[in-house]
Each structure stands twice: as C-alpha cells, then as structure tokens.
Amino acid sequence: MNASHTPRIDVMRSQLGRARGLGSGKAGVDHWWLERMSAVALVPLSGWFVLQVLRLAGAEQQDVVEWGGKPANASMLLALMVLTFYHMQLGLQVIIDDYVHGKAHLPASLLLKGAALLIGLFAVVAVLKLALAPSTKAGA
Amino acid sequence: MQDVRDALYIGHRSDGTLTRRPMSPHLQVYRFRLSMFLSIANRAAGVAAAAGSALGVCWLNAAAKGPESFKKVQKVTRNPLGKLALAGWTLALVYHFVAGLRHLAWDAGYRFEKKEINEDGPVAVGVTVGATLVLLASIFGVAACRSRKKKKAS
C-alpha cells in the first residue's frame, strides 16, 4: 500500500467481537486433543515397529509373509497404519490451515482428507492380504 | 479497513492525518535461535515422515502381492539412493518422535519455561542424531548379516 494514500476505517470490529455470540467452533479442541491422543498411542506402536524393522531388515518375501501371517503382528500393523495416517491427516491439516487461505482452503483440505483416507485404506487392505491371502507364487 | 487487523496498521501523523504504519518485522529480521529451527524442523519432519510412510505402504503392498513385486521393491531398498531415502525417513521419524515427546511434556505442563526449553533443545538434537545413527547401523547391520547367511546357505 502506498504511503500517500490516506487509509479510512469503514468498520472496526475486533476478531473477538466478530466471533462472540456465534457459539463455539465445535471442532478446534477435538482436533487438538485427537492429535495428542493419536501421538500418545503411536509411542508404544513406534517402539514395536522399530523391533519389527530389526527383525525384518534384509528379509525375503517369504519371511515377510510368515511374519505378516501372525495375527498379533497383523493387528499391531493395522493399529499402526490406521493411527499413523490419521495422525498424519490431523497434522497436515494444521499446515493447510496455516498456509492456505481463502477459496483454496476447502479444496486443499478435502484433497488431503481424500488422500489420507485412500493411503490408509490401501495400507489396511495390503496388511489384510498379507495376513489372510498372501501370494507366494513366483508368477504373481 | 474491515477489521482490527488492518485497523492496527493505522497511526496518526503529528498533524493529525492518518497513515498506514509499516508491518511488524518478518522472519529474517530475527536472530537465529535453535528453538525456532527445531520448531519448523518438527513440522518438516512430520511431512517427510508422512511421505516415507506412504512409501512404506508400497513395500507392504509388494510383500502381499508376491515375490516378483517384492524383488522390484528390493531393487529400490538395496540401491544406494534408496538407502539414503531410508536413512532420511529414519531421521525424520526419530526427530518427529523426539519433538513429539517434548510437545506432550509441554502440554502436560513440564519443561515449558524459556530456560528449560533452551536447555532441552541441544539434548533433543543429540538424542535424535544418536538414536538415528544407532538405528541405521543396526538395520543395515542386520540386513548385511542376513544376506551373508543366505549366501552361505545356498
């Protein structure tokens, strides 16, 4: 804005004045709390994940199939995948809220939610296939 | 001027006319502090960890699909560039984990004084670097042992 132009105040309302009386935003605390709770759940799951990585480092496909076929491993893996991509979506949403303004905000948020949901579903289906119907044939 | 954000830019000249005052200093004006780097690094590490996790799902999918898909993935994970990506993913996950624990402590009301935050920053860096190196050495070490055993067996 150039300095020679004299600014004028048409409406002066504080952010608080605008928000007051509209009720709460409803979703803010939820988002913050769920981000923390998924983080807390991911702490032990990450520890488990590190142990599994050490078990599977350099493994061949049949080792992975054998490992993924155990119900305990598959359950932990499912919990890890669901919580990871849920936590990812919550975190990336905050980045969108911070940096994407105006009309682009809604499509960006929807794109993120869709992508997170699809990656999460893909992970779940892959774990289930590995656990229940893995392919061990060379031609697959 | 629509609201207080713009209204706060408005000041008076000595003759009483209104003027738009300059904006407050931007990021590059401030002196570098470790805490500000660690803060943005946590966000960047979160994004990198997410991208790496998506690739991790591809690995899982290949294992479920069969030996041939898995061989293709192994070409990536055994390639030096792939190993570099794995190392980067590990670093991002470890740092995001460490910084996340600090955030949980802050949220619970611990170590949230300025002095404590400045004390903990270098510790977080040390723990991250140390844990990442130990993890990577163990992962690549285990992988190397396993392939050597396989060569002996065959």
Side-chain angles (χ1 to χ4, degrees):
Chain A
M1 210 166 273
N2 77 59
S4 62
H5 168 78
T6 304
R8 215 162 55 84
I9 303 172
D10 298 324
V11 185
M12 182 164 156
R13 292 192 69 187
S14 69
Q15 306 288 10
L16 180 63
R18 287 177 162 210
R20 195 168 262 165
L22 294 173
S24 79
K26 304 285 193 299
V29 176
D30 238 41
H31 187 281
W32 186 90
W33 181 247
L34 289 169
E35 194 175 353
R36 265 67 189 172
M37 285 306 101
S38 53
V40 168
L42 280 167
V43 171
L45 285 170
S46 303
W48 174 83
F49 179 65
V50 168
L51 293 178
Q52 304 315 306
V53 168
L54 290 175
R55 259 173 80 176
L56 287 174
E60 293 300 324
Q61 197 248 355
Q62 72 251 31
D63 305 323
V64 183
V65 167
E66 199 184 318
W67 168 83
K70 291 181 181 142
N73 288 339
S75 310
M76 290 293 273
L77 207 47
L78 282 177
L80 179 69
M81 292 296 142
V82 170
L83 281 161
T84 295
F85 291 109
Y86 182 57
H87 185 80
M88 175 196 87
Q89 184 261 316
L90 290 170
L92 292 178
Q93 181 66 55
V94 180
I95 299 181
I96 289 178
D97 292 345
D98 281 353
Y99 301 128
V100 183
H101 301 296
K103 278 189 177 154
H105 183 265
L106 181 63
S109 304
L110 289 176
L111 200 67
L112 165 66
K113 285 195 169 70
L117 185 68
L118 280 179
I119 298 174
L121 278 177
F122 184 50
V124 168
V125 172
V127 173
L128 289 178
K129 175 160 166 59
L130 185 68
L132 305 173
S135 170
T136 47
K137 268 186 233 133
Chain B
M1 298 301 130
Q2 287 302 306
D3 56 30
V4 74
R5 190 177 172 276
D6 286 317
L8 285 173
Y9 282 134
I10 295 172
H12 294 271
R13 291 200 193 87
S14 51
D15 63 2
T17 54
L18 295 174
T19 183
R20 194 174 200 275
R21 295 187 302 158
M23 197 181 256
S24 69
H26 269 163
L27 207 56
Q28 68 272 18
V29 170
Y30 295 102
R31 191 157 51 111
F32 177 82
R33 304 274 78 189
L34 182 64
S35 56
M36 72 193 202
F37 170 73
L38 292 181
S39 170
I40 193 63
N42 186 34
R43 183 165 270 194
V47 174
S53 302
L55 291 177
V57 174
C58 294
W59 177 88
L60 210 57
N61 175 58
K65 262 170 98 179
E68 255 159 56
S69 301
F70 198 72
K71 282 226 168 67
K72 275 182 208 154
V73 164
Q74 276 180 331
K75 265 188 200 153
V76 177
T77 54
R78 290 179 180 178
N79 182 290
L81 267 179
K83 280 183 182 168
L84 190 67
L86 276 175
W89 184 35
T90 309
L91 177 66
L93 281 174
V94 170
Y95 179 62
H96 199 66
F97 186 87
V98 170
L101 287 181
R102 289 183 78 199
H103 266 284
L104 288 173
W106 295 339
D107 292 340
Y110 299 103
R111 307 298 293 168
F112 203 45
E113 295 302 323
K114 191 177 163 193
K115 185 172 163 283
E116 294 169 329
I117 287 176
N118 286 333
E119 280 168 5
D120 294 349
V123 177
V125 174
V127 169
T128 302
V129 172
T132 304
L133 289 178
V134 168
L135 259 178
L136 285 175
S138 333
I139 291 168
F140 290 133
V142 168
C145 280
R146 188 165 300 197
S147 59
R148 198 174 305 158
K149 241 185 236 167
K150 216 150 264 167
K151 255 179 210 158
K152 260 186 201 166
S154 64

